[in-house]
Structure formats: C-alpha cells, structure tokens
Amino acid sequence: MIDLQGKLEQFEELAGECEQIAKLATDREKRELFRRVGGHYRELAADIKTAIMSSSRDRPISPGGKLSS
C-alpha cells in the first residue's frame, strides 16, 4: 500500500523548496520555472490530501472511535 501521508509530506516539502529557489533565483526564466514546478507539487499535495480524506471517510469507525484498517 502507498504511504499517502509520507507522499503528502514529501510533495509539500518539495513545493516549499521550489518556492524558496524561485524567490532566490536571479534569472527570470529559472524563477518562473521553479515557481511552476512548486505549483505542480502543491497540486499533487492537494490531490493526495483529497485522497486521504476520501479514504478515511470510506473506512468504518471501530467501537473505540478509531478508523479501522
């Protein structure tokens, strides 16, 4: 099974790094490139958040109040 939480954290970190690089870039084309790549990572992170939320809604809740696997 894919570790969605791990992927979410990875994509958020990569997005932040790209955004930092874009802020520091002196070349306009590189700045725009890293801004776009960071945006793509943010979109992937948003998609994964949606997948996590929908999978948690689909799983039944055990009597103890925890999501069952």
Side-chain angles (χ1 to χ4, degrees), residues 4-55:
L4 291 179
Q5 187 64 39
K7 288 293 182 186
L8 173 61
E9 292 169 8
Q10 179 184 20
F11 287 140
E12 287 177 336
E13 183 177 331
L14 288 168
E17 289 175 6
C18 286
E19 291 161 358
Q20 279 298 109
I21 292 169
K23 287 179 186 177
L24 298 172
T26 56
D27 180 84
R28 185 182 62 81
E29 290 178 8
K30 287 182 182 178
R31 186 171 43 247
E32 181 61 23
L33 171 67
F34 280 99
R35 189 195 63 75
R36 283 196 326 261
V37 172
H40 288 299
Y41 281 128
R42 289 274 176 224
E43 289 176 22
L44 289 170
D47 290 346
I48 290 174
K49 278 184 187 177
T50 302
I52 291 170
M53 290 174 63
S54 69
S55 71

Side-chain angles (χ1 to χ4, degrees), residues 57-68:
R57 281 194 303 258
D58 295 341
R59 291 190 297 182
I61 297 177
S62 68
K66 295 184 179 178
L67 292 174
S68 59

